[in-house]
């Protein structure tokens, strides 16, 4: 059984993961409208991943005798200046998520909830991957600069990365 303090903190994380899913969805839509279909596909898949992160928390809270609550979400921004701004936004958002996960881990230690502490390790590892991915794309964008051909290739690469990471087919 989880304490009400841990239950409330995990429900706040549900909120954040749900917001992340909507945030990626909004960025995917902007990219699609601007013709970056590969990057859009990557971001649509990532939005699904964030929803999965949220659902994992639902399952855990309810399995441990708590009550997972559907969040009322704020609308994410809908306009972005550039692909560069999108990936800067992703990196700073993921750093914020990492900080929240770390605070949750710290709370588990204070509350001596080692089961939830163990459950959260998956999120700790996931955050390292997500921050690294955003940094790698930003490095590529810096190399590309204003080169349109480079942007075309990045768009294509992210579409195939989406296939590798998310295991979808090229046809979907
Ligand atoms: Fe963006 O990762 Fe969820 O936690």
């Amino acid at each position: 059984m989880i304490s009400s303090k841990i239950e409330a903190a995990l429900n706040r994380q549900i909120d954040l993961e749900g917001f992340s899913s909507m945030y990626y969805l909004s960025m995917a839509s902007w990219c699609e409208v601007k013709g970056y279909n590969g990057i859009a596909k990557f971001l649509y898949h990532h939005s699904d991943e964030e929803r999965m992160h949220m659902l994992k928390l639902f399952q855990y809270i309810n399995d441990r005798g708590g009550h997972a609550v559907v969040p009322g979400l704020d609308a994410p921004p809908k306009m972005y200046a550039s692909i560069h701004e999108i990936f800067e936004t992703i990196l700073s958002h993921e750093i914020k998520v990492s900080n929240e996960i770390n605070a949750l881990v710290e709370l588990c230690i204070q509350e001596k909830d080692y089961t939830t502490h163990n459950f959260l390790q998956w999120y700790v590892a996931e955050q390292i991957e997500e921050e690294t991915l955003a940094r790698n794309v930003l490095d590529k964008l810096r190399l590309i600069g204003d080169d349109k051909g480079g942007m075309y290739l990045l768009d294509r690469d992210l579409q195939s990365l989406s296939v590798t990471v998310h295991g979808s087919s090229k046809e979907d």
Side-chain angles (χ1 to χ4, degrees), residues 4-165:
S4 52
K5 203 167 181 178
I6 296 287
E7 179 183 357
L10 291 175
N11 266 309
R12 283 196 295 279
Q13 192 61 31
I14 281 185
D15 205 284
L16 188 53
E17 302 292 347
F19 180 73
S20 299
S21 178
M22 303 294 277
Y23 212 166
Y24 280 97
L25 196 55
S26 169
M27 291 186 274
S29 179
W30 184 88
C31 288
E32 194 166 45
V33 166
K34 297 291 175 187
Y36 296 107
N37 292 337
I39 299 174
K41 191 164 276 193
F42 171 79
L43 294 171
Y44 278 124
H45 280 296
H46 204 99
S47 171
D48 287 345
E49 270 210 354
E50 296 293 352
R51 184 167 187 276
M52 184 273 283
H53 297 172
M54 180 181 73
L55 290 178
K56 232 172 141 67
L57 284 154
F58 265 73
Q59 202 65 65
Y60 180 78
I61 294 172
N62 290 345
D63 285 351
R64 301 272 299 137
H67 184 178
V69 180
V70 175
L73 301 172
D74 293 331
K78 60 181 177 190
M79 300 304 285
Y80 301 89
S82 62
I83 295 296
H84 190 269
E85 185 190 286
I86 290 221
F87 281 93
E88 288 285 6
T89 301
I90 289 174
L91 179 59
S92 61
H93 181 72
E94 291 301 343
I95 289 172
K96 179 183 161 186
V97 175
S98 299
N99 290 341
E100 294 299 326
I101 294 286
N102 290 341
L104 261 175
V105 169
E106 179 61 34
L107 182 67
C108 290
I109 293 167
Q110 280 166 20
E111 296 287 302
K112 298 189 172 23
D113 183 342
Y114 302 115
T115 311
T116 305
H117 182 277
N118 184 50
F119 165 75
L120 288 172
Q121 295 314 302
W122 184 88
Y123 288 85
V124 171
E126 182 70 13
Q127 284 312 119
I128 296 170
E129 272 185 32
E130 298 208 347
E131 284 188 33
T132 302
L133 183 58
R135 286 195 178 92
N136 286 345
V137 175
L138 282 169
D139 285 345
K140 285 199 171 72
L141 283 167
R142 268 187 285 274
L143 287 173
I144 290 168
D146 292 329
D147 176 13
K148 287 198 167 57
M151 275 309 290
Y152 174 82
L153 292 176
L154 180 73
D155 189 58
R156 203 190 57 183
D157 285 357
L158 280 178
Q159 170 154 348
S160 39
L161 186 65
S162 154
V163 173
T164 317
V165 173

